Amino acid sequence: MMDVALRAGVSHGTVSNFFNRPQLLSEATREKVAQAVADLAFVPNDAARTLAKGTGNTIGVVLVDIGNSFFVDIARGVESAAAESAHKLLLANSDVNAQKQDDYLELFDETRVRGIILAPLDGEQDGAARVRSHGRPVVFVNWPGEDDASCGVIVDEEHGGYLAARHLIELGRTTLLFAGGPLTLHAVADRLNGVRRAIDEAPGVALEVLETHSLTTRAGRVLGHELAIRPPARQPDGVVCAADSLAIGCIEQLVGAGIRVPEDIAVTGYDNNHYGAESAVPVTTIAQPGHEMGVIAAELLAEEVGGLPGHTHRTVILKPSLLVRKSTVASAVPAITDAPETAR
């Protein structure tokens, strides 16, 4: 920076302002310093600045599965809100691997990011607790915050399951099947609870629960095959899948076996994955407001790292919405019902 200052004929402080507070400089001074920076091919050492200050202006984001467009939406929301608070983003994908999740948390801790936004795997969040013990804030997304320790942003999964089952019941379906798993996953269990609530409100409607080993398209194909080889009298007329990928695989097998979707069996998914709208039979789904979740998570982190007076650790709960497509209503024009609500 001193070389740049000498080249431009300005003070070291002016060069510092050029990179950190350019609005304090006149246009002529900015142009002079910019030319010196270009002439010397100078690149600021952000790691050194972070080390000197003890923290930087970068946010670390660890997502559980960027193959799921729901988490991509979350990342876009974080990015847009982070830009408003002049923070940069480092994005990592744990790829549904607990060790990778902890490794990225440790990496971000070592690089002294300002704070971390974590969409975690199910289970104990020891890695996040370790990072927090070093004074680095962690905000959870798609996972509740911990009382007096961290903030979180979640969607009311139980309400989402209820919306999906209620939709099928209102279409006149009377033998429903819930498919998803493992049932130990908190999101799957909550969605099932919502389905059961809708069934309890509908006398004469039966429910079968079929646990899958995962929420993948491959698991959906196994599910679809199992349903297709059943005698017609044992087939459900409505299937609530705990994920869009599961629904897409199931529909693929049903249609391949000559079973009409939705006329014979109506199928719903969950998450509003982008490819669900573009599949051969567009999937009715429960949409989660991923972008809004990311924005709120970034705002909560900005509050915490900025020491905003009155900031309290809390969990923000958002409502999902139903998107009706051709997997449940053959003539459907995509529409959103039950508009999202926010509870803070």
Side-chain angles (χ1 to χ4, degrees):
M1 287 179 68
M2 185 57 71
D3 291 338
V4 173
L6 291 171
R7 179 89 172 196
V10 298
S11 69
H12 184 281
T14 297
V15 177
S16 177
N17 283 336
F18 174 81
F19 288 108
N20 300 302
R21 294 173 294 278
Q23 70 277 8
L24 299 180
L25 305 179
S26 69
E27 184 176 352
T29 300
R30 286 199 301 269
E31 290 178 357
K32 192 190 312 182
V33 176
Q35 186 60 55
V37 168
D39 291 344
L40 296 173
F42 174 74
V43 178
N45 188 333
D46 191 60
R49 289 192 294 177
T50 297
L51 185 62
K53 295 192 304 182
T55 187
N57 68 337
T58 302
I59 293 172
V61 181
V62 184
L63 301 176
V64 67
D65 179 15
I66 59 172
N68 184 332
S69 64
F70 166 59
F71 294 104
V72 176
D73 291 341
I74 289 175
R76 291 187 183 280
V78 173
E79 183 180 36
S80 63
E84 292 293 321
S85 59
H87 285 98
K88 300 173 184 176
L89 227 60
L90 289 176
L91 180 63
N93 174 35
S94 70
D95 204 23
V96 201
N97 182 302
Q99 185 59 57
K100 286 181 71 174
Q101 176 177 297
D102 285 348
D103 287 347
Y104 280 126
L105 288 172
E106 183 177 353
L107 174 64
F108 288 156
D109 194 20
E110 290 173 351
T111 55
R112 291 174 167 80
V113 296
R114 195 76 186 276
I116 296 173
I117 293 174
L118 172 63
L121 284 79
D122 266 63
E124 296 296 322
Q125 303 303 324
D126 295 337
R130 188 162 52 251
V131 169
R132 286 202 311 271
S133 72
H134 301 158
R136 214 160 308 286
V138 177
V139 171
F140 293 105
V141 61
N142 205 42
W143 189 264
E146 300 169 350
D147 292 343
D148 301 322
S150 61
C151 292
V153 186
I154 61 173
V155 170
D156 187 342
E157 305 278 12
E158 193 269 353
H159 184 62
Y162 176 85
L163 287 178
R166 190 70 209 168
H167 170 62
L168 293 176
I169 292 168
E170 289 174 350
L171 292 173
R173 309 293 168 144
T174 58
T175 55
L176 303 191
L177 180 143
F178 174 86
L183 293 177
T184 52
L185 294 176
H186 82 280
V188 175
D190 288 347
R191 292 167 194 180
L192 174 56
N193 287 337
V195 171
R196 285 182 166 141
R197 178 161 66 90
I199 296 295
D200 290 343
E201 295 176 0
V205 177
L207 175 66
E208 176 185 354
V209 177
L210 198 161
E211 183 174 13
T212 60
H213 66 81
S214 69
L215 299 174
T216 62
T217 303
R218 178 178 294 182
R221 293 191 186 105
V222 173
L223 165 67
H225 175 72
E226 181 174 336
L227 297 181
I229 63 176
R230 290 184 181 185
R234 291 190 55 240
Q235 290 176 344
D237 58 11
V239 177
V240 177
C241 290
D244 287 339
S245 51
L246 201 63
I248 288 170
C250 178
I251 292 170
E252 178 185 307
Q253 288 295 307
L254 293 176
V255 172
I259 295 171
R260 298 173 303 164
V261 176
E263 291 84 356
D264 300 325
I265 300 179
V267 181
T268 66
Y270 205 107
D271 278 344
N272 191 27
N273 258 294
H274 298 170
Y275 55 76
E278 301 170 358
S279 58
V281 180
V283 179
T284 291
T285 189
I286 301 300
Q288 303 194 79
H291 189 276
E292 184 182 1
M293 294 172 74
V295 168
I296 293 172
E299 290 174 345
L300 290 171
L301 185 60
E303 280 185 16
E304 189 166 354
V305 300
L308 191 70
H311 173 78
T312 57
H313 293 306
R314 61 196 186 276
T315 294
V316 177
I317 305 172
L318 305 180
K319 290 290 188 183
S321 56
L322 174 69
L323 280 170
V324 179
R325 298 188 180 120
K326 293 183 184 296
S327 69
T328 59
V329 179
S331 60
V333 175
I336 298 179
T337 64
D338 194 33
E341 301 173 4
T342 303
R344 296 202 186 207

